[in-house]
Amino acid sequence: MFIYLSKKIAIPNNIQLRCVSWNKEQGFITCGGEDGLLKVLKLETQTDDAKLKGLAAPSNLSMNQTLEGHSGAVQVVTWNEQYEKLTTSDQNGLIIVWMLYKGVWYEEMINNRNKSVVRSMSWNADGQKICIVYEDGAVIVGSVDGNRIWGKELKGSQLAHVVWSPDSKILLFGMASGEVHIYDNQGNFIMKMSISCLTSASGAVSIAGIHWYAGSGGYMEPGCPCLAICFDNGRCQIMRNENDEDPVCIDTLMNVVSIQWNHCGNVLAVAGSLRVPNMEKEFNVLQFYTPYGEHLRTLKVPGKQMSGVAWEGGGLRIGLAVDSHIYFANIRPDYKWGYCCSTVVYAYTKPDRPEYCVVFWDTKNNEKTVKYVRSLMSITTCGDFCLLTSKADDTQHQDDAEVESGSPGRFVLILCNSIGTPLDSNYVDIEPLFVAMTRTHVIAASKEAFYLWQYRVAKKLTALEINQVTRTKKEGRERLYHIDSNPSPAATISPDFSKAFTATRDPICCITATDKTLIVGRESGAILTYSLPHVSLVHKYSSSNRAHHLCLNCDSSRLAIIDIAGVLTLLDLETVSTTEDGAGNCASAEDVSRFERKDVWDMKWANDNPNLFAMMEKTRMYVFRNLNPEEPIQTSGYICHFDDLEIKSVLLDEIMKDPERPNKDNLINFEIRSLRDSRALIEKVGIEDASQFIEDNPHPRLWRLLAEAALQKLDLKTAEQAFVRCKDYQGIQLVKRLGNLHSEPMKQAEVVAYFGKFEEAERMYVDMDRRDLAISLRIKLGDWFRVLYLLKASSGDCDDTLLEQAYNAIGDYFADRQKWVNAVQYYLQGSNQERLAECYYMLEDYGGLESLTMSLPENHKLLVEIGQMFATVGMCDQAVNAYLKCNQPKAAVDTCVHLNQWNKAVELARNHNMKEIKSLLSKYASHLLEKNKTLEAVELYRKARHFLEAAKLMFKMADEEAKKRSRPLRVKKLYVLAAHLVENYHQQVKMAQQSKAKGKKSEATLALAGLLEEDATSADSRIIDNAWRGAEAYHFFLLSQRQLYTGNAENAMLTALHLRDYEDVIPAVEIYSLLAVCSATCRAFAICSQAFVCLESLESLETDQRQQYEDLALQIFTKHPPKNTRALEQDRPLEGGEEKLPTCIVTGLPIQQYQFWLCGVCKHCATEDKISNYSCCPLCHSVIT
């Protein structure tokens, strides 16, 4: 930062001032002094020039009101900025609250305790409460409307200061003895504050000031110190909170009278006096410190006694009460900012975020990109890139090489482009207090060492190089040198950060660099010059003053030095290097040039002229050519860029007032005098005289200006010569093209177009009846709306191809801006089916997309894309139609599978004889089975004629239903359906063998071949060989119960006896329970006894069930002996014999006739007399023919 005195206001009658305060919101300044003096002032800028803003604009007193009401010396003044109230108190203890009404301050409230004098008053952060402390220990807390909230007498305490905490929960009381006591907001004592800065201090001390920054402008970083307590002996401590055990301690070596933080809490002003060594005289000074105790600047202030200090709201000015005067000093803050690639990069803090908000403002397009960086230290720019330097966060990702080394860097360097996208990063251990940047290197320096990093940008690397960079250590790209060492070009080893912390007697204070030179400034005034990129010490120069800012010109021949006092000097490196003696002694900087300027706070060399530079001196900008100044320009902007005889300056002060909305009005371009004079000569004198002037003061920009003026007057010879001098090849080509034209109006039109006056050029072409040239001009400009207008306005037939091109280009214009409805209209007229499909898709106009599909010819390449569009939104039928129209059935099937339309997929696969239908069926069946849709899977296999797979699923389902003890009739139906599927499988195998044999073999041979193939291919012979077994079991089980309920108990018993062969299908407990019931009903107790014996011997029964069966058997057979009471009508004569008679599926009885009926489907038998009553087979339900 830089500070200088800018204004002085004298108080009438030489009345001594006691205090001063500046309202940061409304800008009012109040000062109190002897004899009841109380004034309210206001400085306002008054200018009509838009370029004169901020500190550069003249300021006058818009208010100078003397407030009458105090009789004694006014000692305390404080503002309530939220409610626009002023509270004042004098030596008699009188307190007055003032309010503003119609531009004039009036008394609102008066209070006088008549016991003691008020020593301090403080409003809390929201302006709701005020705390007033009296010298005798009385404390009063009141509200903004004048009501007393609470009061307290601190007996035995002599109060001197009071301050609220930012959250209004704590009050700090400064005692006259120098102690600080902590109370809560209700007046309850908490503890005494530990004062560390007074360690080893002797003598009595008093508190000069306490200021607790409320955080209204954000913080530099999380946990930043914000509570400053300063004593009259110059000792000061800055704390993070009231309980901070490790505060920042400063010894200012001055007699302090007042302190105050600036608006954003990053600068602490300490006002007082400094004693001159070996002299009794003292002089007033204003010292500036960071929250971490680093000294920034010192301002000497004239006068005898300084009594107060107050910051302006924006932190750009500071007011000082000295004797009977108010001095104003302007401050040029060290903003964190930079300029790269037409982009202004700046950072500011927000009260609601712990990070810095970094804004990348593209001044060409007026667009901004925002990113947040925690603990930002600096912003450095060069060319197209920006470097953000910050403290490394523990959560940030670090390079593999550094993590492996076990010593991750404490600071991070992030290389960004002009929109804030990180391109490269590096972690370092040294604290990068000073950073410089060239087109290839970043140089970061601490006070003891400097570090070089050769950064890389991804667009310059091949994929192989990028891979190598990420996998390997960046050998040779990083170098570290201690400032006291003598580096050599051969030293390219990896940096050893342990050497960087070795202390030095002469620390680094600033650096700068170009592509071939590095300059390092040291606190002693020594300036070291190193060569780049191979670092070696070239020269060492000496200067009498400590440098604060260094800047090299474009060819590294001259160095600008701004010292700590704001004095600018120049060092001619080439002259010094030639005059250095052979012994290597240091040459003196004063011997080189006597150039010197004072109060300089910014400067910039021209990028294209080593003898041209601009500098800021207070609120004036000077341009120097060969050390000769031009007339100054009144401005307070920071210089961004100096090139092509134009200076680009940014009014950062104005931007920081509203950093979220930067305005182009705050970016100003200045032309230097030679450019302004050349333009004036061309306009007023003529081209010939101007040409001679430019010849004497050559510059490419001036030659280009002359060439453009000659073009306007069609002086082609002069224009060509000027274009040659400024090396403008395109301009030379334009002159040659103009020389080949014979029409003067045509030449004029070309020149007008060259200067960007396209409407005028178009009108001239149309007036010459050369509408084709007007259209060609608009096509070059990409103004297709105008092209379309010109095409339609032509009297003759227009070119249909060009018309379609115009329609499509306009459609592209709307599509790029996502105005799809407008784009469709133009694409339809331009017959652009590809973009039309895209627009329909973005508009979700699937009807239009389907109509487009119908209109396209077969095998059109767009059909595939349309099919994909339909597939992405789940419209299966439309997608299939599109794929089939372009002859891609495989894609259609894949789409159906993807959208779970398996029926359609199988149908398509079958219709197009696709080989992968089996795998497709398996996927679909698995999909259905996952959803427990077994019957649908069976139907799928049946339709696909995979009968065996369907039968397996059906048998599985029947078995599951049987285990769940579902209704027997349902289970029988499932087994019958499964058996039918097996029969279909048999028939399929037989038909396949017949088609292979083509009638050459006998029927018996075919049947045998089919059976052999079944045996060879079947994985489950049980299903094929015993397909009807489950159906038989449940058929006889139902038949036996039906016979029992119809009163035919004997036949029911005989049918139940037949069920003993199906214990693997029906549970044995159900079979023997049915047999026991039927045999007991027909009084066949012998068979009933056998049934009970079988039931009691079943291992599957539980103990209580077995006991119930035993009890029931006991009840039955105590009454009836286990004998058959009568002879049965039929017995099973062949039971246990070698042959087994077939069973009638109608009656359940064995068939003893030699002739019987045989079902053609299930191959089961029945007596002819019984089956004659049925139209369908009782077992398989097939129609009897």
Side-chain angles (χ1 to χ4, degrees):
M1 62 176 291
F2 182 74
I3 183 169
Y4 58 92
L5 293 172
S6 60
K7 197 179 188 69
K8 181 173 79 170
I9 297 177
I11 302 300
N13 303 321
N14 292 326
I15 298 177
Q16 297 293 311
L17 295 178
R18 292 283 192 93
C19 52
V20 64
S21 182
W22 204 324
N23 186 317
K24 293 178 173 56
E25 294 293 332
Q26 291 83 34
F28 296 109
I29 308 164
T30 183
C31 58
E34 305 288 345
D35 301 331
L37 171 74
L38 183 62
K39 273 184 170 291
V40 177
L41 314 173
K42 188 172 186 181
L43 287 175
E44 284 190 342
T45 56
Q46 298 173 351
T47 178
D48 297 329
D49 190 349
K51 293 184 179 181
L52 286 180
K53 293 183 178 180
L55 298 180
S59 57
N60 298 313
L61 285 175
S62 62
M63 175 179 284
N64 184 2
Q65 182 183 351
T66 300
L67 307 187
E68 303 289 343
H70 289 287
S71 57
V74 177
Q75 295 178 328
V76 183
V77 292
T78 182
W79 287 100
N80 184 334
E81 295 160 359
Q82 287 75 15
Y83 291 91
E84 277 192 52
K85 293 181 185 295
L86 171 63
T87 310
T88 60
S89 177
D90 59 24
Q91 66 183 23
N92 301 321
L94 175 65
I95 302 173
I96 302 178
V97 179
W98 308 84
M99 61 174 288
L100 183 67
Y101 179 70
K102 292 184 178 181
V104 180
W105 291 94
Y106 295 96
E107 292 180 1
E108 183 184 17
M109 290 177 281
I110 297 178
N111 179 272
N112 195 346
R113 231 174 117 245
N114 294 320
K115 288 185 178 181
S116 181
V117 61
V118 174
R119 284 300 177 195
S120 181
M121 296 184 292
S122 176
W123 289 95
N124 67 345
D126 59 7
Q128 294 284 345
K129 299 177 183 178
I130 186 172
C131 182
I132 305 169
V133 296
Y134 291 83
E135 191 176 42
D136 63 355
V139 179
I140 297 175
V141 174
S143 65
V144 67
D145 54 7
N147 295 322
R148 181 180 176 131
I149 299 176
W150 58 267
K152 193 166 188 177
E153 295 279 347
L154 304 181
K155 295 182 179 179
S157 299
Q158 192 173 353
L159 300 177
H161 295 273
V162 64
V163 67
W164 290 90
S165 65
D167 58 4
S168 303
K169 293 181 178 179
I170 289 174
L171 280 166
L172 299 183
F173 294 131
M175 307 297 174
S177 61
E179 293 181 348
V180 179
H181 293 185
I182 305 173
Y183 283 74
D184 65 14
N185 58 6
Q186 299 301 318
N188 301 310
F189 177 75
I190 299 177
M191 62 182 290
K192 285 185 180 181
M193 181 179 290
S194 174
I195 306 298
S196 305
C197 65
L198 293 179
T199 305
S200 73
S202 59
V205 295
S206 62
I207 299 173
I210 305 176
H211 193 189
W212 200 334
Y213 169 60
S216 57
Y219 294 91
M220 292 174 61
E221 60 181 67
C224 179
C226 55
L227 170 57
I229 302 172
C230 197
F231 296 86
D232 60 350
N233 65 353
R235 301 290 182 93
C236 180
Q237 75 177 31
I238 310 176
M239 310 171 69
R240 291 163 182 82
N241 52 59
E242 72 278 5
N243 298 316
D244 191 358
E245 296 179 356
D246 186 23
V248 177
C249 295
I250 310 169
D251 188 357
T252 63
L253 303 176
M254 55 188 286
N255 297 323
V256 181
V257 296
S258 180
I259 65 169
Q260 193 174 43
W261 288 107
N262 69 342
H263 69 295
C264 56
N266 61 1
V267 179
L268 176 67
V270 181
S273 59
L274 194 64
R275 184 182 298 274
V276 180
N278 303 322
M279 294 180 63
E280 295 183 358
K281 183 180 179 182
E282 291 186 353
F283 57 89
N284 296 322
V285 294
L286 185 63
Q287 305 264 34
F288 295 90
Y289 295 89
T290 69
Y292 295 97
E294 299 169 8
H295 180 259
L296 294 174
R297 286 280 174 169
T298 298
L299 176 67
K300 292 183 180 179
V301 183
K304 295 180 180 179
Q305 177 64 41
M306 188 184 303
S307 56
V309 60
W311 284 89
E312 185 197 25
L316 300 178
R317 284 186 288 195
I318 195 165
L320 305 168
V322 184
D323 299 334
S324 59
H325 298 86
I326 298 178
Y327 286 90
F328 293 95
N330 287 353
I331 294 171
R332 308 312 297 129
D334 286 335
Y335 294 114
K336 292 178 172 61
W337 78 285
Y339 181 82
C340 64
C341 195
S342 302
T343 299
V344 177
V345 186
Y346 60 91
Y348 67 97
T349 54
K350 288 182 173 182
D352 57 340
R353 292 198 69 123
E355 310 98 335
Y356 269 92
C357 178
V358 183
V359 179
F360 293 79
W361 175 36
D362 184 351
T363 57
K364 281 188 176 179
N365 304 319
N366 201 24
E367 296 176 351
K368 66 184 180 73
T369 307
V370 178
K371 68 182 302 180
Y372 293 93
V373 180
R374 187 181 290 267
S375 302
L376 180 71
M377 299 177 66
S378 65
I379 296 175
T380 312
T381 54
C382 179
D384 296 340
F385 305 110
C386 169
L387 184 78
L388 305 180
T389 307
S390 66
K391 295 181 180 178
D393 190 0
D394 294 338
T395 60
Q396 285 177 316
H397 171 71
Q398 299 193 2
D399 291 8
D400 294 338
E402 290 166 338
V403 173
E404 290 171 3
S405 68
S407 58
R410 297 184 297 123
F411 304 93
V412 60
L413 310 174
I414 305 172
L415 184 74
C416 303
N417 60 12
S418 59
I419 58 172
T421 304
L423 304 176
D424 200 357
S425 64
N426 204 358
Y427 288 80
V428 293
D429 275 329
I430 66 169
E431 185 174 7
L433 299 174
F434 316 103
V435 182
M437 188 176 176
T438 70
R439 289 182 295 178
T440 54
H441 287 79
V442 168
I443 301 98
S446 64
K447 290 186 177 182
E448 300 86 11
F450 61 93
Y451 164 83
L452 271 79
W453 168 40
Q454 182 182 354
Y455 61 85
R456 291 189 180 180
V457 183
K459 69 178 182 180
K460 298 179 181 177
L461 303 179
T462 63
L464 180 61
E465 287 174 321
I466 292 173
N467 192 41
Q468 290 174 347
V469 168
T470 56
R471 289 178 178 272
T472 62
K473 178 77 176 176
K474 294 170 277 191
E475 297 291 347
R477 290 178 55 201
E478 300 177 62
R479 284 169 288 173
L480 181 69
Y481 304 97
H482 194 274
I483 189 61
D484 293 333
S485 65
N486 189 4
S488 63
T492 58
I493 58 174
S494 299
D496 183 5
F497 283 97
S498 62
K499 298 179 181 178
F501 300 103
T502 305
T504 178
R505 294 182 178 179
D506 191 5
I508 297 172
C509 61
C510 53
I511 63 172
T512 188
T514 60
D515 291 340
K516 61 180 182 179
T517 305
L518 167 65
I519 306 292
V520 179
R522 305 182 73 170
E523 291 186 359
S524 65
I527 295 175
L528 308 183
T529 303
Y530 298 87
S531 63
L532 289 178
H534 304 293
V535 180
S536 62
L537 181 62
V538 179
H539 294 292
K540 183 177 180 182
Y541 310 130
S542 65
S543 175
S544 58
N545 295 322
R546 172 186 166 185
H548 176 70
H549 177 71
L550 301 175
C551 190
L552 275 168
N553 63 356
C554 59
D555 64 356
S556 303
S557 62
R558 186 167 288 173
L559 175 68
I561 306 168
I562 303 177
D563 65 17
I564 195 69
V567 177
L568 171 66
T569 55
L570 298 180
L571 179 63
D572 198 333
L573 301 181
E574 293 182 350
T575 303
V576 171
S577 62
T578 57
T579 59
E580 184 179 8
D581 57 30
N585 294 328
C586 297
S588 178
E590 282 76 6
D591 297 334
V592 179
S593 175
R594 296 297 178 183
F595 179 85
E596 183 177 293
R597 303 289 295 197
K598 296 182 179 179
D599 293 327
V600 178
W601 52 271
D602 192 16
M603 74 88 57
K604 180 77 71 175
W605 289 96
N607 293 342
D608 50 6
N609 189 337
N611 298 316
L612 193 62
F613 69 91
M615 50 157 275
M616 295 299 304
E617 187 177 294
K618 293 188 176 179
T619 55
R620 293 181 297 275
M621 178 191 291
Y622 287 90
V623 177
F624 285 82
R625 181 194 292 273
N626 296 324
L627 304 185
N628 297 317
E630 297 181 1
E631 64 274 10
I633 303 169
Q634 198 75 12
T635 180
S636 61
Y638 288 72
I639 303 173
C640 295
H641 192 63
F642 189 2
D643 191 19
D644 222 11
L645 304 183
E646 278 194 15
I647 302 169
K648 191 181 293 291
S649 176
V650 59
L651 299 175
L652 282 174
D653 301 331
E654 300 301 312
I655 289 177
M656 290 300 176
K657 291 179 181 178
D658 189 9
E660 296 183 1
R661 286 172 286 274
N663 191 338
K664 274 193 172 183
D665 293 340
N666 297 325
L667 196 71
I668 306 173
N669 289 328
F670 299 101
E671 295 182 348
I672 73 169
R673 187 172 62 189
S674 59
L675 181 57
R676 298 196 303 268
D677 291 348
S678 299
R679 182 174 284 113
L681 282 173
I682 291 171
E683 292 175 356
K684 298 177 181 178
V685 179
I687 290 179
E688 292 183 3
D689 294 335
S691 177
Q692 185 59 46
F693 174 79
I694 295 172
E695 189 76 41
D696 298 335
N697 301 275
H699 192 279
R701 175 65 186 275
L702 300 181
W703 286 116
R704 189 163 64 249
L705 185 67
L706 179 64
E708 292 172 355
L711 271 181
Q712 289 180 331
K713 296 185 178 181
L714 295 181
D715 185 353
L716 301 184
K717 182 179 179 181
T718 305
E720 184 175 14
Q721 292 174 351
F723 277 130
V724 169
R725 296 295 294 270
C726 66
K727 300 178 182 180
D728 188 345
Y729 179 75
Q730 293 177 338
I732 297 171
Q733 293 297 106
L734 172 67
V735 173
K736 288 183 178 180
R737 191 165 66 250
L738 292 176
N740 295 328
L741 297 177
H742 302 292
S743 172
E744 288 294 318
M746 190 76 73
K747 291 180 181 180
Q748 292 175 354
E750 288 286 334
V751 171
V752 168
Y754 174 79
F755 287 114
K757 301 176 181 179
F758 304 117
E759 286 76 11
E760 185 178 350
E762 177 192 315
R763 180 179 53 77
M764 294 174 71
Y765 283 134
V766 173
D767 292 343
M768 288 186 288
D769 200 18
R770 291 301 303 270
R771 195 176 296 269
D772 59 324
L773 294 178
I775 292 173
S776 177
L777 172 65
R778 289 298 178 180
I779 291 175
K780 289 179 183 177
L781 296 173
D783 187 357
W784 290 98
F785 289 95
R786 196 64 187 172
V787 171
L788 185 61
Y789 171 79
L790 292 171
L791 286 171
K792 290 183 175 180
S794 59
S795 56
D797 294 334
C798 59
D799 187 350
D800 291 340
T801 304
L802 193 56
L803 193 60
E804 280 192 4
Q805 185 182 359
Y807 281 129
N808 289 328
I810 296 174
D812 292 340
Y813 170 85
F814 285 117
D816 291 343
R817 288 155 181 79
Q818 298 185 358
K819 297 180 179 180
W820 307 108
V821 176
N822 297 340
V824 165
Q825 301 173 6
Y826 287 96
Y827 284 140
L828 280 171
Q829 297 179 81
S831 303
N832 193 337
Q833 295 162 333
E834 288 80 2
R835 297 306 301 271
L836 193 59
E838 180 186 351
C839 291
Y840 282 142
Y841 180 69
M842 298 305 295
L843 286 170
E844 300 182 5
D845 183 3
Y846 303 116
L849 199 57
E850 192 170 2
S851 302
L852 181 60
T853 306
M854 301 294 292
S855 64
L856 290 174
E858 293 186 358
N859 296 323
H860 194 282
K861 63 179 181 179
L862 184 59
L863 289 169
V864 177
E865 296 181 14
I866 294 177
Q868 293 172 351
M869 292 177 185
F870 280 126
T872 54
V873 295
M875 300 180 69
C876 185
D877 293 340
Q878 291 82 350
V880 167
N881 292 337
Y883 283 127
L884 293 180
K885 194 168 183 179
C886 63
N887 196 24
Q888 291 197 19
K890 175 69 168 58
V893 171
D894 291 342
T895 300
C896 292
V897 171
H898 179 69
L899 298 176
N900 293 329
Q901 300 295 322
W902 295 94
N903 283 333
K904 197 165 189 68
V906 172
E907 182 182 351
L908 286 171
R910 188 188 305 117
N911 293 341
H912 292 84
N913 298 321
M914 298 178 68
K915 295 180 180 179
E916 59 268 18
I917 187 170
K918 189 167 184 179
S919 63
L920 194 63
L921 286 169
S922 299
K923 291 179 182 178
Y924 186 19
S926 301
H927 168 74
L928 292 173
L929 292 174
E930 286 176 0
K931 295 185 176 182
N932 294 324
K933 296 182 178 180
T934 309
L935 288 176
E936 286 85 343
V938 171
E939 182 67 10
L940 170 69
Y941 278 126
R942 191 185 69 81
K943 286 183 178 180
R945 302 184 64 79
H946 285 240
F947 297 114
L948 187 58
E949 299 296 329
K952 289 179 182 178
L953 290 176
M954 207 68 235
F955 276 120
K956 182 179 179 181
M957 185 176 180
D959 292 342
E960 291 175 353
E961 289 293 321
K963 288 178 182 178
K964 292 191 295 185
R965 302 191 69 181
S966 299
R967 292 190 303 114
L969 182 59
R970 173 178 171 78
V971 179
K972 177 194 171 184
K973 289 179 180 179
L974 293 175
Y975 277 122
V976 169
L977 179 55
H980 272 296
L981 291 172
V982 174
E983 294 299 328
N984 291 337
Y985 169 72
H986 289 312
Q987 189 67 22
Q988 184 183 34
V989 172
K990 184 178 178 181
M991 295 297 293
Q993 289 298 324
Q994 287 180 352
S995 62
K996 289 180 181 179
K998 297 182 180 179
K1000 295 182 180 179
K1001 297 181 181 180
S1002 63
E1003 188 174 346
T1005 305
L1006 291 174
L1008 180 60
L1011 290 173
L1012 289 174
E1013 182 170 341
E1014 287 180 10
D1015 186 59
T1017 57
S1018 176
D1020 196 345
S1021 59
R1022 185 186 72 84
I1023 293 177
I1024 296 176
D1025 297 340
N1026 302 301
W1028 292 97
R1029 183 169 177 77
E1032 291 171 4
Y1034 275 93
H1035 173 75
F1036 290 125
F1037 186 66
L1038 290 167
L1039 177 62
S1040 175
Q1041 297 185 64
R1042 196 179 300 116
Q1043 291 172 335
L1044 177 64
Y1045 281 104
T1046 56
N1048 195 352
E1050 185 175 340
N1051 285 352
M1053 183 191 68
L1054 295 175
T1055 304
L1057 285 170
H1058 187 60
L1059 286 174
R1060 290 179 298 175
D1061 297 334
Y1062 298 98
E1063 289 185 13
D1064 59 327
V1065 180
I1066 300 175
V1069 64
E1070 296 189 10
I1071 293 174
Y1072 289 110
S1073 296
L1074 177 62
L1075 179 60
V1077 171
C1078 294
S1079 57
T1081 303
C1082 66
R1083 307 187 70 77
F1085 292 110
I1087 297 176
C1088 181
S1089 174
Q1090 295 175 7
F1092 270 104
V1093 170
C1094 292
L1095 283 171
E1096 293 172 7
S1097 64
L1098 290 176
E1099 295 181 357
S1100 60
L1101 290 180
E1102 296 181 0
T1103 304
D1104 55 344
Q1105 290 178 324
R1106 184 176 287 107
Q1107 185 62 44
Q1108 290 177 358
Y1109 280 120
E1110 290 176 356
D1111 294 344
L1112 181 60
L1114 183 63
Q1115 291 179 14
I1116 293 175
F1117 295 116
T1118 51
K1119 295 181 180 180
H1120 307 284
K1123 296 180 180 180
N1124 296 333
T1125 56
R1126 61 188 182 85
L1128 298 174
E1129 295 182 2
Q1130 300 186 53
D1131 204 350
R1132 302 179 70 177
L1134 297 179
E1135 186 175 355
E1138 294 180 358
E1139 294 184 7
K1140 185 177 180 180
L1141 294 176
T1143 304
C1144 177
I1145 58 175
V1146 177
T1147 62
L1149 302 177
I1151 301 176
Q1152 301 187 9
Q1153 293 89 348
Y1154 290 101
Q1155 292 186 352
F1156 49 83
W1157 174 83
L1158 181 68
C1159 178
V1161 178
C1162 63
K1163 304 299 187 288
H1164 284 75
C1165 308
T1167 58
E1168 292 183 346
D1169 58 330
K1170 298 294 183 181
I1171 199 65
S1172 61
N1173 299 325
Y1174 291 85
S1175 60
C1176 297
C1177 174
L1179 178 61
C1180 67
H1181 303 284
S1182 59
V1183 180
I1184 299 175
T1185 56

